[in-house]
Amino acid sequence: MTEPCNIAAALPRLARERPGQVAMRCPGAGGRYEVAITYAQLDARSDAIAAGLARRGIVRGTRTVVMVRPTPEFFLLMFALFKAGAVPVLVDPGIDKRALKQCLDEAQPGAFIGIPLAMLAKALLGWAKAARVRITTGRRAWLADATLAEVERDGADAGPQLADTGPDEVAGLLFTSGSTGVPKGVVYRHRHFVAQIEMLRAAFGIAPGGIDLPTFPPFALFDPALGLTSIIPDMDPTRPAKADPRKLHAAIARFGATQLFGSPALMRVLADHGEALPTVKRVTSAGAPVPPDVVAKMLALLPPDAQLWTPYGATECLPVAVIEGRELLTLRARTEAGAGTCVGRPVAPNQVRLIRIDDAPIADWDDALQVRPGDVGEITVAGPSATDSYFNRPAQTALAKMREALPDGSERIVHRMGDLGWCDGEGRLWFCGRKSQRVVVDARTTLCTEQVEPVFNTHPEVARTALVGVGRRGAQVPVLCVELAAGVDARAWPRIVGELRHLADGLVHTAKVQAFLRHPKPFPVDIRHNAKIGRERLAAWAATQSLEANA
């Protein structure tokens, strides 16, 4: 019998094959990992919750907001919703409250499941008014129709639950991080999730039985389908840069974690902590380019045969390309000379192509759109994990999606990443920055953030830099915002500026930068990974400063 196209379809099979294997361990009170759920329990309990939800009206196709912390309830709920064929709606709770309300309203959910604090916010702030079913993970049905515990009891005698979902049925709405605007709801179909699992398995050689420490909760949803055990870390997933490395190391050592996923900010926390990771064989870091110094430090902490992968992708399409840390380090000098950041080779069967830079919609693919080999263009990808629309955002969908006619008469979606890059002669993709963050100085000169900033980031007294443009695009003044390293005296700024100017000498990507501004605080970063610099906010700040005094 063929399994339905559903990320939860692996659970019944794994429950039969390895019922006693722990699927996930979660920290409880005081960070103690007394909560362990086996594959058999995950399967049976998610069946009961799916049946209980159905009895309350959450059924196939019901869009359901999930605002639950990464506890056992979150994972049980997500698999229950997938089994039911319902459509979970995930939004980062830490985004601007007005944007959050807009996202929830756009999703038009029929149900809302949340922790007590989320239920209170829903009532006070008018979140998701269309949601007719309200479930809380709290002990009492406060501001809700029922508790999750009651839902699970209601469905305890229902038996196996798994909707026969098809590849094109909507499986979820995952909102982007909103690092460059109001988050958009990416429509995931069941085939997209299934494709992601297979591409990740093949790209990284993941075999069942491993033990994973995923510090970004949605990635933990892949682990059961891959036959892994998830160790949910004792940390705030919305603040990876603030994670306590001692707690992470304690979990890794206690359970013998063999792989680790985290943002570049989380990698820096572990790299700076400097403690060896002898059991970890595979590290994966995504969300933004991983600085070379972090890659080098992490590799030094891992066993000699371990691998550190930095996949490139986005909520709309993941994975797109991947590179291993050692190869990345061999290209470090080129990055620091203005080439951009190499993100590796496309993950099969993706087709990555570069088109001319254009801010307008392009309805249909045309081979004539492509740039010459070696030229910078906008990155596009066509492949099984490339999503095809944003929910209730037709204008944004038109900007990001193209339709391509195929020789067999069918068609596919080509996703425009909104990123700039180029391909080298060895088939590697180089990331140059976000298209919306490029600085257009004049008709002949466009500067890309990832070709400029790494040059200046080599300065030993600089923590990081951010290129922004002040003024009208086409006549922008390129400004480098600078965050000094910890402990550097601000009085050294005039000397540092002179040294930064010297770094720019003779490099085509940096010579146009004339204004340097010391930012008095740490740069703003995205809520999801704490790694993407908020250049739009920095540009607004730079526009209020005196550029002449810093030119």
Side-chain angles (χ1 to χ4, degrees):
M1 181 177 175
T2 304
E3 290 181 349
C5 185
N6 191 309
I7 192 174
L11 278 185
R13 173 170 43 82
L14 289 166
R16 292 191 302 268
E17 295 173 355
R18 49 185 75 192
Q21 179 183 326
V22 174
M24 61 184 58
R25 297 182 186 274
C26 302
R32 295 186 298 274
Y33 281 83
E34 69 269 18
V35 182
I37 302 176
T38 65
Y39 274 110
Q41 291 169 332
L42 183 60
D43 185 44
R45 292 187 64 186
S46 59
D47 277 342
I49 293 172
L53 292 174
R55 291 175 182 177
R56 294 182 178 275
I58 301 177
V59 294
R60 195 164 177 166
T62 304
R63 289 187 295 278
T64 306
V65 174
V66 179
M67 300 196 81
V68 178
R69 294 191 177 99
T71 57
E73 288 79 11
F74 173 78
F75 300 103
L76 288 164
L77 259 173
M78 290 297 293
F79 282 109
L81 291 167
F82 288 136
K83 284 183 173 183
V87 181
V89 178
L90 299 180
V91 187
D92 284 326
I95 64 173
D96 177 82
K97 292 299 180 284
R98 287 174 296 181
L100 179 55
K101 186 177 187 304
Q102 179 180 332
C103 293
L104 295 177
D105 288 343
E106 282 182 2
Q108 298 175 351
F112 188 102
I113 303 176
I115 61 174
L117 183 60
M119 306 309 294
L120 178 61
K122 179 186 184 316
L124 294 179
L125 302 177
W127 289 354
K129 289 183 178 180
R132 66 187 186 282
V133 182
R134 301 165 301 164
I135 308 293
T136 180
T137 59
R139 295 182 179 180
R140 294 182 298 170
W142 183 58
L143 298 173
D145 305 307
T147 67
L148 185 62
E150 291 169 342
V151 168
E152 186 173 352
R153 286 196 297 269
D154 288 347
D157 59 350
Q161 307 285 310
L162 185 60
D164 59 342
T165 48
D168 286 325
E169 283 189 60
V170 177
L173 292 185
L174 278 61
F175 276 81
T176 60
S177 63
S179 56
T180 57
V182 176
K184 302 179 287 290
V186 180
V187 177
Y188 263 75
R189 304 185 187 280
H190 284 282
R191 59 181 164 84
H192 295 135
F193 281 128
V194 171
Q196 282 183 329
I197 290 168
E198 293 309 313
M199 292 170 77
L200 290 169
R201 190 198 311 273
F204 304 131
I206 298 174
I211 300 173
D212 186 26
L213 188 85
T215 62
F216 182 50
F219 267 73
L221 295 172
F222 292 137
D223 285 351
L226 292 165
L228 305 175
T229 294
S230 294
I231 309 299
I232 307 305
D234 182 13
M235 59 174 279
D236 181 348
T238 68
R239 292 178 172 82
K242 301 295 183 182
D244 185 341
R246 295 167 298 180
K247 290 182 178 180
L248 299 178
H249 271 277
I252 291 169
R254 179 178 174 184
F255 301 110
T258 58
Q259 65 182 54
L260 165 70
F261 175 86
S263 73
L266 190 282
M267 291 299 122
R268 184 171 289 283
V269 167
L270 291 172
D272 290 345
H273 184 62
E275 186 176 345
L277 296 160
T279 67
V280 178
K281 301 297 184 181
R282 182 186 302 107
V283 174
T284 309
S285 185
V290 186
D293 67 305
V294 173
V295 172
K297 288 180 181 178
M298 284 299 298
L299 285 172
L301 300 175
L302 296 171
D305 59 341
Q307 295 177 314
L308 192 157
W309 297 97
T310 60
Y312 164 71
T315 307
E316 297 90 336
C317 186
L318 182 78
V320 173
V322 66
I323 188 170
E324 204 279 322
R326 291 169 183 82
E327 183 178 10
L328 184 64
L329 290 181
T330 66
L331 302 169
R332 180 175 184 172
R334 295 177 66 180
T335 295
E336 294 174 350
T341 298
C342 186
V343 293
R345 294 170 177 82
V347 176
N350 283 335
Q351 185 176 10
V352 173
R353 293 167 291 184
L354 300 165
I355 63 173
R356 64 173 183 264
I357 301 171
D358 192 335
D359 293 315
I362 304 174
D364 300 301
W365 173 267
D366 188 321
D367 287 342
L369 293 169
Q370 297 183 79
V371 300
R372 296 175 302 179
D375 284 358
V376 172
E378 181 178 0
I379 301 168
T380 74
V381 59
S385 68
T387 56
D388 46 39
S389 66
Y390 299 112
F391 190 75
N392 275 349
R393 292 283 193 91
Q396 282 75 17
T397 297
L399 283 170
K401 310 293 180 180
M402 295 182 285
R403 295 195 175 275
E404 181 180 16
L406 298 177
D408 64 1
S410 64
E411 64 177 24
R412 65 178 177 179
I413 291 294
V414 179
H415 176 65
R416 300 170 68 181
M417 293 292 289
D419 292 334
L420 303 181
W422 62 281
C423 281
D424 65 20
E426 297 183 47
R428 293 176 300 212
L429 178 64
W430 291 73
F431 172 67
C432 297
R434 292 291 292 168
K435 180 175 68 172
S436 63
Q437 295 172 343
R438 72 191 190 277
V439 178
V440 183
V441 180
D442 52 43
R444 294 177 297 176
T445 308
T446 295
L447 303 181
C448 300
T449 58
E450 285 295 321
Q451 290 185 309
V452 170
E453 294 164 7
V455 175
F456 296 108
N457 289 344
T458 60
H459 193 289
E461 293 172 284
V462 166
R464 54 187 167 179
T465 61
L467 175 73
V468 301
V470 173
R472 176 181 56 82
R473 179 166 287 171
Q476 289 178 301
V477 176
V479 178
L480 193 77
C481 302
V482 180
E483 179 186 328
L484 295 180
V488 175
D489 193 330
R491 290 175 294 184
W493 175 242
R495 170 182 58 79
I496 292 172
V497 169
E499 292 167 355
L500 291 173
R501 292 187 191 284
H502 181 67
L503 284 173
D505 288 347
L507 291 176
V508 65
H509 297 304
T510 57
K512 290 285 184 177
V513 178
Q514 296 297 316
F516 297 79
L517 296 175
R518 180 179 65 84
H519 196 261
K521 298 178 181 179
F523 285 167
V525 293
D526 68 293
I527 188 66
R528 180 172 294 174
H529 297 298
N530 297 177
K532 297 176 183 175
I533 297 171
R535 293 183 181 84
E536 288 79 7
R537 291 167 61 185
L538 287 175
W541 169 78
T544 68
Q545 307 300 301
S546 172
L547 301 184
E548 290 79 7
N550 292 276

